[in-house]
Amino acid sequence: MYVVPDQTGRYAVVTGANSGTGKETVRRLAGAGARVVMAVRTIAKGEQARAEILAQYPDAHLDVRRIDLADLASVEEFAAGLIADGTPIDLLVNNAGVMAPPTRMTTADGFELQFGSNFLGPFALTLRLLPLLLSAPAPRVATMSSGAANFGRIRFDDLQWEQGYRPAASYAQSKLADLMFSHQLAAIAADRGWNLMSNAAHPGYTVTNLQSAGASLGREKLPWWHTLVEHFNPLPKQGVEQGAEPLLFAATSREAAAGAYYGPSKRLGLVGPTKLAKAPRRSLDAQTNTRLWEAAERLTGVSLLDRIPSAG
Ligand SMILES: NC(=O)c1ccc[n+]([C@@H]2O[C@H](COP(=O)([O-])OP(=O)(O)OC[C@H]3O[C@@H](n4cnc5c(N)ncnc54)[C@H](O)[C@@H]3O)[C@@H](O)[C@H]2O)c1
């Protein structure tokens, strides 16, 4: 079991903090002494998770705040709240995500739901919080990708899946985009001499709400392929305590490195202790990563130069 080093004095923001690996990440960060902003879409669910964590760690400093990553105005409002507070952010954990709505859905801004909430929302959030991150002494941005990134391809000619939506391929694209974003942020930080560590993780196969039926995704019942996977799947699965470890390692370990990608080490990389994961080749091409970054700046209207006027 990975032991999170002392986080006393560190201020963290975790998205998707009310369930799954996000809630476990908050629990372990709080247990190690961090103050944590629990960024959630539904305040009541966030408060419920907060109460559960406080039952274990009564002295934890947990602040539940609303963000909808599928709505750029909500991302801006959330960031504005933190900017108004002015507290330097030591750690941003881009954990939240959705998987494979059976039919094409869109965000408030008209983006395909997975590309919008798994990649563009976190992209805008990270850029908006950069000034607060860069005012912390040793800031980190840990981003949750997925083994699905291995099967992803960035469809620059149809990022929003307007020509033939495929749920799993769209999820894979969004998670590859997360990894490319993490690599590109690390490259930018190195280039500009920022003391900011950007890295990424994937949780292997972890039992969470991600795979459940959910009316909010238009999924009254599980997709057929998921039922097959559940019944015949010989793949190992793990609980959130284990599944959150690569992300916690990326976010807190003194051995973690900028630009690195972490995942479980055993049985097809789906379970087991954390180790460096092999990033898909497609996530390592600097030119393509720059192209994706520029597309994200255009689509979100949030750019690096706006955030850090003196940069460049
Ligand atoms: N569980 C797995 O096996 C697995 C595998 C690979 C990657 N992942 C990744 O792990 C991360 C966490 O997922 P999980 O497995 O804990 O599932 P989960 O469904 O329990 O957690 C996802 C969280 O994201 C939040 N979220 C979704 N859309 C949001 C939005 N628009 N705005 C704000 N929050 C939003 C949800 O409310 C929830 O709290 C995701 O990024 C997912 O892609 C999970």
Side-chain angles (χ1 to χ4, degrees):
M1 171 81 84
Y2 173 65
V3 177
V4 175
D6 185 18
Q7 299 292 301
T8 308
R10 284 179 76 76
Y11 187 51
V13 177
V14 179
T15 66
N18 60 284
S19 68
T21 55
K23 181 166 108 180
E24 178 64 10
T25 298
V26 176
R27 191 179 73 80
R28 305 262 284 269
L29 289 173
R35 285 187 298 143
V36 188
V37 174
M38 301 175 66
V40 300
R41 198 171 27 180
T42 309
I43 291 287
K45 290 185 184 172
E47 290 295 352
Q48 170 66 36
R50 177 174 179 270
E52 286 169 31
I53 296 169
L54 282 174
Q56 185 179 5
Y57 299 111
D59 297 332
H61 291 277
L62 302 174
D63 180 11
V64 177
R65 298 196 188 198
R66 185 172 188 278
I67 190 170
D68 183 354
L69 289 157
D71 179 353
L72 292 176
S74 168
V75 172
E76 183 173 3
E77 196 179 328
F78 173 86
L82 292 177
I83 290 164
D85 295 348
T87 310
I89 296 173
D90 299 287
L91 172 63
L92 169 62
V93 182
N94 285 318
N95 162 78
V98 286
M99 186 174 76
T103 54
R104 184 178 180 277
M105 296 174 75
T106 52
T107 68
D109 307 282
F111 305 130
E112 186 276 320
L113 188 72
Q114 297 181 91
F115 193 65
S117 30
N118 295 358
F119 169 58
L120 293 174
F123 175 89
L125 175 66
T126 307
L127 262 59
R128 287 194 179 283
L129 294 183
L130 259 183
L132 287 179
L133 284 157
L134 293 178
S135 62
R140 284 199 199 189
V141 177
T143 299
M144 187 68 118
S145 181
S146 165
N150 287 300
F151 311 107
R153 193 168 69 82
I154 305 294
R155 304 201 324 171
F156 282 105
D157 53 346
D158 186 24
L159 289 170
Q160 312 298 338
W161 298 88
E162 283 157 324
Q163 299 152 31
Y165 172 70
R166 284 180 290 132
S170 161
Y171 179 69
Q173 171 181 263
S174 72
K175 289 285 140 184
L176 174 62
D178 283 340
L179 195 50
M180 292 164 72
F181 160 71
S182 174
H183 291 331
Q184 184 64 9
L185 181 59
I188 290 170
D191 194 43
R192 299 188 182 210
W194 296 343
N195 187 28
L196 175 139
M197 184 190 293
S198 168
N199 56 20
H202 78 90
Y205 188 175
T206 305
V207 180
T208 64
N209 292 337
L210 195 75
Q211 303 96 347
S212 345
S216 63
L217 288 183
R219 199 153 74 195
E220 298 307 334
K221 59 189 176 79
L222 292 171
W224 65 268
W225 54 266
H226 190 273
T227 311
L228 269 186
V229 167
E230 280 305 293
H231 285 293
F232 302 108
N233 185 0
L235 298 175
K237 300 177 197 168
Q238 59 196 350
V240 283
E241 294 85 356
Q242 186 95 54
E245 295 218 334
L247 187 62
L248 278 163
F249 186 92
T252 65
S253 172
R254 295 189 188 100
E255 286 153 40
Y261 179 42
Y262 299 97
S265 58
K266 294 233 159 75
R267 300 194 53 205
L268 309 172
L270 293 171
V271 297
T274 298
K275 68 151 195 178
L276 269 178
K278 192 167 163 18
R281 278 234 317 271
R282 283 186 185 136
S283 71
L284 298 170
D285 180 62
Q287 230 175 340
T288 318
N289 292 356
T290 304
R291 188 176 172 199
L292 180 67
W293 184 284
E294 288 170 357
E297 287 196 338
R298 249 188 337 271
L299 289 165
T300 60
V302 184
S303 99
L304 192 60
L305 291 178
D306 293 347
R307 300 303 108 206
I308 315 291
S310 60

